[in-house]
Amino acid sequence: MKRIQKMRCIVCAAFFLCLAAGGCIALLRTPDAVSLSERRALRQRPALSLEALASGDFFTDTEEYLLDQFPARDSFRRVKATVQYGFFRKIANNGIVIDRGQAAELSYPLGDKFVDIYLSRLNKVTDEHLAGLELKVYHTLIPDKIFYMDDRTGIPRIDYDGLRGRLSAEGPGAYIDVTDTLCLSDYYGSDPHVKIASMVGMADRLLGQMQAGRVGEVREGEALGPFYGAYYGHSALPLAPDTIVPVYTDAIGQAAVTRYEGKLRSEGTVYDFAKLEAADAYDFFLGGACTVLTLDNPLLPEGRTLYLFSDSFGRSLAPLLLSGYSRVVFYDLRYVSASQALRILPAENGGDVLFAYSLTSLAVSPSLRVD
Amino acid sequence: MVFSSLSFLYLFLPAVLAVYYLMPAAKNNGARNAVLLLFSLAFYYVGEQRLVLLMIASTLVDYACGRVIGELGEKKDADGNVVRRNWLRRLALGVSLCFNLGLLAYFKYADMLIGLANALTGAGLPLLEIALPIGISFYTFQTMSYTIDVYRGRTRAQKNLLTFACYVTIFPQLIAGPIVRYSEIEEQLVTRRFDRAQMTGGIHRFCLGLAKKVLLADQLAVLVKLADSGEDPTVLMTWAAAVALPLQIYYDFSGYSDMAIGLGAMFGFSFPENFDYPMSSRSATEFWRRWHMTLGGWFRDYLYISLGGNRVGDGRLVLNLLIVWAATGLWHGASWHFVLWGLYYGVLIIAEKLFARRFPDRGKLPRRILSRVWFFLLTVVGFQIFGAADLPDLGARLARLVGVGTTGFSSPVTLYSLRNDAVLLLLSLVLAFPVMKTLVRKAGQTALCQKKLADGSTLGEHAGLILASVLSLLALITVTAFLIDGSYSPFLYFRF
């Protein structure tokens, strides 16, 4: 046989084997339950039935199953990200941009309607649910990473000056600007959140404006990790994992944490070391998402109470703010309505209220439950 | 099922290849044709379930009509001379045409006709809202070409139902072409054999088509979709999307044709070419010689020539061309803007036919470049008509091209999108012209590539095989990666 004919045989056989092997492995392997990198459940093998065959559902389900369970799936996702960034020179893959090792999600454009909804929802909390109480109300917005990214990356960013103007003019209470207390490296590289040690300046600014003192002396604990943040899987690139460095203040060292989930009440901790092994290691802070929780500071028994309406960023911020209060009550209106939350733990006269949401929450403000 | 899906690539294709090549090639490829038929019906069933019966009915009707036209329509008289029973032949042809056009009228054009009737009479008839069976425009045109060719005596009627059914349903070209005429593969249906060179060529062609579809067309679609969403209606974005749209449709459709031709080659068929760098055209006439060539050829042979072709006066020629191009537009979709799209090219071609004689193209380089740029602009406008949802949308699209209804010349989103897609757009533009083809041809002509090796083949053949195989493997891996990571992947020509 001619050499070139042999080569053609090899090409044909290799092509067939690649396809057949990919299909066989995808069908025969034990399906994964979840994708750790994407933090989601994966499709399981579709059930074969006459109804599913007749309706065509079986075929669409099979395709979805293959997409989720294809062998070396994460490596293929990485190939795509590499081709997008490296070959096509894209700025973003799956909406994720990367600048100086920092992954961020595009937040632009932010429609005015989302700002309208956000403001109306926060104002509804103060005007309806906190009406009649003697409370000092404050409001801040935690910027997303893109605010601090280099202009040369070409990433469009929202008009922060205009947004700040609207929030301070139309938002509830006094607006506290914290944008100058952070920089790009203060964020985790693979996650949207700010490192807790880097939030001290922001916490000091907030406490100062709320006339609640300062965070005080801060000691950093041992770096824990590796921490693969939310963007690690989303970007599909081999980003360097972060570490979580807990910080300790006198208040954090003495804090008592109580979590409320409906009628259930449980004791918690500021740092939940067991959660470092969870799908989202950011649950390390205050044990993860919770509808309502309290942090009590025995070092300030006669101090005021802070009612903090926030999102996941608040789980890092709340322990730092505890230095200035005897109690911080943290409400997460993404998981519970304002009326239910305030039934679980009502606000009382003489306290402070702080709305501290991230830009991400503002962009999805319709999900804030203020009924 | 679409070619750019994991279930096709990694389940269906290896399964059909394995079973097909396990079957003996003897006895007119009967066993292999049976395998192709069964897998093709399964392929269609995955996408359309019960409507597979419609395709089977179309196959049976055209098989029967072909037999009647070819055999029962002729009888021998007492002297042994063949006498044609033309009434029977015409009847059978009429049945075939009515059945196929009836299918199209009902499934594709019913609502358009009802809308027209409502507009003219104010009757207020409710629309039927029937889902269009996948590929109906392709397989009805194929089967009509068969019965017409048998009637015209250009091909013999196929006696073997299995062979004929294999021709109609064969999955590579079933749902988005190219429109393969029976006469083009009549012999291949019974005599084709495994050929290594054809098989490897098919693999390379298939992977090339896959890459064009998934890596270029689907990504261009994101830019086009962003512009269509109206979130950033700037002049620059409108023009970027207007340039991206014909490129998207070109890579989408030509990619599918490449995959179909490649798959055909894997099973021993030589399907006709469907695209030949249409974006490099300098006139509408040239464009339609290069774009969807099998459809253009179909309308030329079965409609234009039937109407008298070129051998008529100028007035009749204009009328014939308008009819053909209105029909070509209508084939693409049951909407008036498709008719307008067809007529747009019809008018350009008429103008070229009438005026080009007076202004012969001397072919100097600046003029060639200018005419290409000029015709590309005409293509951009033409595909705005094609891409419009309806006539009002078309008006809005054309208005935005000249700045009416836009929010300004540019915006941060526009600049970001253009920067994000700059390489993609540039690459898509360059590859739409025969640059690579010319380079490969010239490289193949060099002394080094022509150097003979010990086995009689050339160094160029070896290098070409290795290079094409490596690139195909890379394309397959990258396409798989893009599919797994969930890129946007519509097949535009499914709606036809």
Side-chain angles (χ1 to χ4, degrees):
Chain A
M1 192 192 289
K2 279 181 169 183
R3 202 170 147 204
I4 195 158
Q5 296 288 52
K6 280 185 192 166
M7 285 167 64
R8 285 182 179 133
C9 279
I10 292 168
V11 170
C12 296
F15 177 73
F16 175 78
L17 287 175
C18 280
L19 299 187
C24 287
I25 296 170
L27 283 186
L28 298 177
R29 72 195 284 262
T30 307
D32 295 326
V34 292
S35 163
L36 292 176
S37 64
E38 293 166 273
R39 301 180 180 180
R40 68 175 180 88
L42 296 174
R43 291 291 300 228
Q44 298 302 296
R45 201 168 274 133
L48 184 61
S49 69
L50 279 177
E51 290 81 11
L53 280 174
S55 65
D57 290 346
F58 178 76
F59 308 114
T60 46
D61 291 348
T62 301
E63 177 66 18
E64 286 172 14
Y65 173 77
L66 286 174
L67 288 170
D68 271 10
Q69 300 289 352
F70 202 78
R73 185 169 180 279
D74 282 345
S75 300
F76 275 110
R77 293 186 63 238
R78 191 167 294 175
V79 166
K80 187 222 171 189
T82 307
V83 170
Q84 291 282 50
Y85 289 121
F87 181 75
F88 286 112
R89 312 300 298 170
K90 295 247 183 185
I91 301 171
N93 175 48
N94 295 340
I96 303 291
V97 294
I98 295 181
D99 175 29
R100 287 171 276 166
Q102 287 276 353
E105 191 163 16
L106 289 175
S107 54
Y108 188 94
L110 180 69
D112 277 347
K113 71 173 182 182
F114 288 105
V115 182
D116 293 342
I117 294 170
Y118 177 72
L119 287 169
S120 71
R121 297 208 164 204
L122 298 200
N123 285 322
K124 189 175 177 184
V125 173
T126 51
D127 295 348
E128 291 185 11
H129 300 291
L130 302 175
L133 294 170
E134 288 178 20
L135 298 162
K136 285 184 180 171
V137 180
Y138 303 92
H139 176 207
T140 190
L141 183 79
I142 303 167
D144 66 341
K145 282 182 195 185
I146 288 180
F147 179 73
Y148 301 102
M149 283 189 163
D150 198 324
D151 282 339
R152 286 171 297 179
T153 54
I155 303 162
R157 59 178 66 128
I158 57 169
D159 173 15
Y160 259 96
D161 289 338
L163 180 61
R164 272 198 300 261
R166 281 204 66 188
L167 295 180
S168 57
E170 301 170 42
Y175 183 76
I176 306 170
D177 184 17
V178 294
T179 49
D180 62 334
T181 64
L182 295 173
C183 64
L184 185 60
S185 60
D186 288 337
Y187 292 78
Y188 295 105
S190 64
D191 198 74
H193 294 103
V194 183
K195 297 168 192 166
I196 189 167
S198 303
M199 279 186 151
V200 175
M202 185 199 301
D204 271 334
R205 168 74 54 82
L206 292 169
L207 289 173
Q209 294 284 315
M210 295 188 290
Q211 296 172 341
R214 294 180 63 84
V215 174
E217 189 190 341
V218 175
R219 300 173 300 280
E220 290 194 3
E222 188 186 342
L224 307 166
F227 167 44
Y228 295 98
Y231 295 148
Y232 183 84
H234 206 143
S235 74
L237 277 180
L239 294 169
D242 291 284
T243 54
I244 292 178
V245 180
V247 298
Y248 296 93
T249 60
D250 291 343
I252 288 174
Q254 301 286 321
V257 178
T258 310
R259 295 166 59 88
Y260 297 83
E261 294 284 2
K263 291 178 181 173
L264 293 176
R265 178 181 155 160
S266 60
E267 299 303 312
T269 53
V270 173
Y271 300 127
D272 188 340
F273 288 85
K275 290 287 169 66
L276 288 171
E277 303 301 321
D280 185 358
Y282 189 75
D283 287 350
F284 172 72
F285 297 102
L286 297 176
C290 182
T291 54
V292 179
L293 60 80
T294 58
L295 296 94
D296 286 298
N297 179 4
L299 302 176
L300 267 181
E302 303 301 319
R304 287 175 287 158
T305 298
L306 173 67
Y307 302 99
L308 175 65
F309 293 84
S310 187
D311 50 22
S312 54
F313 284 72
R315 300 213 308 267
S316 302
L317 183 61
L320 296 173
L321 296 178
L322 187 63
S323 298
Y325 291 91
S326 65
R327 177 177 245 202
V328 174
V329 184
F330 177 35
Y331 302 103
D332 196 335
L333 299 186
R334 295 173 303 163
Y335 305 111
V336 65
S337 68
S339 56
Q340 283 176 312
L342 288 162
R343 263 202 302 276
I344 293 170
L345 271 179
E348 292 172 3
N349 286 335
D352 293 341
V353 174
L354 174 64
F355 294 97
Y357 284 100
S358 64
L359 187 84
T360 314
S361 287
L362 192 156
V364 294
S365 53
S367 64
L368 291 179
R369 299 169 58 187
V370 294
D371 49 318
Chain B
M1 190 184 289
V2 294
F3 296 158
S4 57
S5 66
L6 293 187
S7 36
F8 177 83
L9 289 172
Y10 292 97
L11 297 182
F12 184 90
L13 185 55
V16 66
L17 280 171
V19 178
Y20 178 86
Y21 279 110
L22 282 175
M23 292 292 151
K27 291 186 182 173
N28 296 336
N29 275 320
R32 289 185 169 182
N33 285 346
V35 169
L36 273 184
L37 174 63
L38 287 175
F39 273 92
S40 298
L41 292 176
F43 176 86
Y44 197 78
Y45 182 84
V46 168
E48 285 292 20
Q49 290 88 52
R50 281 176 298 173
L51 288 175
V52 72
L53 296 174
L54 200 67
M55 190 174 62
I56 292 171
S58 176
T59 306
L60 292 174
V61 167
D62 288 300
Y63 170 76
C65 290
R67 293 290 303 270
V68 169
I69 296 167
E71 295 168 34
L72 298 179
E74 294 178 348
K75 67 172 184 178
K76 287 184 178 174
D77 62 12
D79 301 328
N81 298 322
V82 175
V83 178
R84 285 189 164 183
R85 289 190 284 191
N86 281 333
W87 65 272
L88 188 57
R89 289 160 43 80
R90 284 195 190 119
L91 178 68
L93 179 65
V95 169
S96 169
L97 296 182
C98 286
F99 182 79
N100 286 301
L101 293 175
L103 285 182
L104 285 176
Y106 179 74
F107 284 101
K108 190 168 179 177
Y109 300 109
D111 281 347
M112 187 185 177
L113 296 172
I114 291 170
L116 181 63
N118 285 342
L120 292 177
T121 65
L125 297 170
L127 299 179
L128 299 178
E129 295 180 350
I130 303 164
L132 182 67
I134 292 171
I136 190 169
S137 302
F138 289 95
Y139 70 73
T140 50
F141 268 49
Q142 288 195 172
T143 51
M144 279 194 289
S145 76
Y146 164 72
T147 48
I148 295 170
D149 281 352
V150 174
Y151 179 82
R152 288 176 172 175
R154 289 181 184 166
T155 191
R156 287 168 298 162
Q158 176 56 257
K159 292 179 185 172
N160 188 322
L161 177 59
L162 172 65
T163 307
F164 181 71
C166 180
Y167 156 67
V168 178
T169 62
I170 182 171
F171 72 88
Q173 45 80 56
L174 177 61
I175 51 177
I179 298 172
V180 181
R181 296 190 211 175
Y182 175 74
S183 55
E184 289 169 326
I185 60 164
E186 179 184 6
E187 207 175 308
Q188 297 167 31
L189 281 163
V190 290
T191 62
R192 69 187 186 279
R193 293 287 180 270
F194 175 73
D195 180 278
R196 292 182 194 89
Q198 192 182 23
M199 181 82 174
T200 46
I203 290 169
H204 298 154
R205 190 72 183 267
F206 177 76
C207 293
L208 171 71
L210 205 54
K212 280 163 86 172
K213 160 73 184 141
V214 177
L215 304 184
L216 298 180
D218 289 350
Q219 293 208 79
L220 289 166
V222 177
L223 180 65
V224 172
K225 197 179 168 197
L226 176 66
D228 284 349
S229 72
E231 283 180 11
D232 184 41
T234 61
V235 175
L236 200 55
M237 176 61 94
T238 305
W239 272 98
V243 170
L245 180 64
L247 293 172
Q248 180 211 344
I249 295 171
Y250 165 63
Y251 286 114
D252 189 283
F253 193 18
S254 75
Y256 195 97
S257 291
D258 286 336
M259 285 188 266
I261 291 167
L263 285 168
M266 288 184 214
F267 296 101
F269 290 98
S270 284
F271 290 161
E273 291 295 330
N274 217 16
F275 289 88
D276 182 21
Y277 298 98
M279 296 301 160
S280 66
S281 302
R282 294 153 61 198
S283 67
T285 309
E286 186 185 356
F287 179 82
W288 277 96
R289 271 193 223 119
R290 292 170 176 271
W291 176 278
H292 204 172
M293 292 145 74
T294 56
L295 180 73
W298 198 100
F299 276 111
R300 182 193 63 227
D301 292 348
Y302 299 109
L303 184 60
Y304 182 62
I305 290 175
S306 301
L307 291 170
N310 287 333
R311 296 175 182 175
V312 290
D314 278 358
R316 182 61 197 265
L317 177 69
V318 168
L319 181 65
N320 288 351
L321 285 168
L322 289 177
I323 291 170
V324 168
W325 288 103
T328 304
L330 200 56
W331 182 90
H332 283 83
S335 175
W336 293 109
H337 75 276
F338 282 119
V339 178
L340 193 63
W341 181 67
L343 288 174
Y344 172 80
Y345 280 101
V347 169
L348 289 177
I349 287 169
I350 288 165
E352 286 164 9
K353 277 193 187 298
L354 296 180
F355 299 111
R357 308 179 251 201
R358 295 177 201 170
F359 304 102
D361 184 356
R362 300 233 168 88
K364 287 183 180 169
L365 187 64
R367 183 169 168 163
R368 286 210 302 269
I369 292 170
L370 270 179
S371 58
R372 281 201 173 94
V373 172
W374 167 242
F375 188 73
F376 188 74
L377 284 175
L378 290 177
T379 305
V380 165
V381 174
F383 276 83
Q384 288 301 300
I385 307 173
F386 186 95
D390 47 35
L391 289 178
D393 181 44
L394 170 61
R397 279 166 171 266
L398 295 177
R400 281 200 296 272
L401 283 178
V402 291
V404 179
T406 57
T407 52
F409 182 74
S410 184
S411 74
V413 170
T414 298
L415 293 177
Y416 161 74
S417 300
L418 291 184
R419 194 166 160 188
N420 202 34
D421 290 325
V423 172
L424 172 70
L425 270 172
L426 197 64
L427 191 69
S428 302
L429 260 175
V430 170
L431 294 180
F433 290 81
V435 182
M436 293 303 291
K437 187 181 172 183
T438 308
L439 283 177
V440 168
R441 196 188 66 233
K442 291 203 168 167
Q445 289 166 347
T446 57
L448 186 66
C449 285
Q450 293 290 331
K451 187 183 171 186
K452 288 273 182 193
L453 299 177
D455 63 356
S457 57
T458 64
L459 187 62
E461 281 181 278
H462 279 255
L465 178 64
I466 292 168
L467 186 64
S469 300
V470 169
L471 289 176
S472 297
L473 179 66
L474 289 176
L476 185 65
I477 291 170
T478 312
V479 165
T480 303
F482 272 64
L483 292 177
I484 284 173
D485 209 32
S487 60
Y488 179 65
S489 187
F491 255 128
L492 299 175
Y493 267 71
F494 264 22
R495 58 178 167 158
F496 309 124

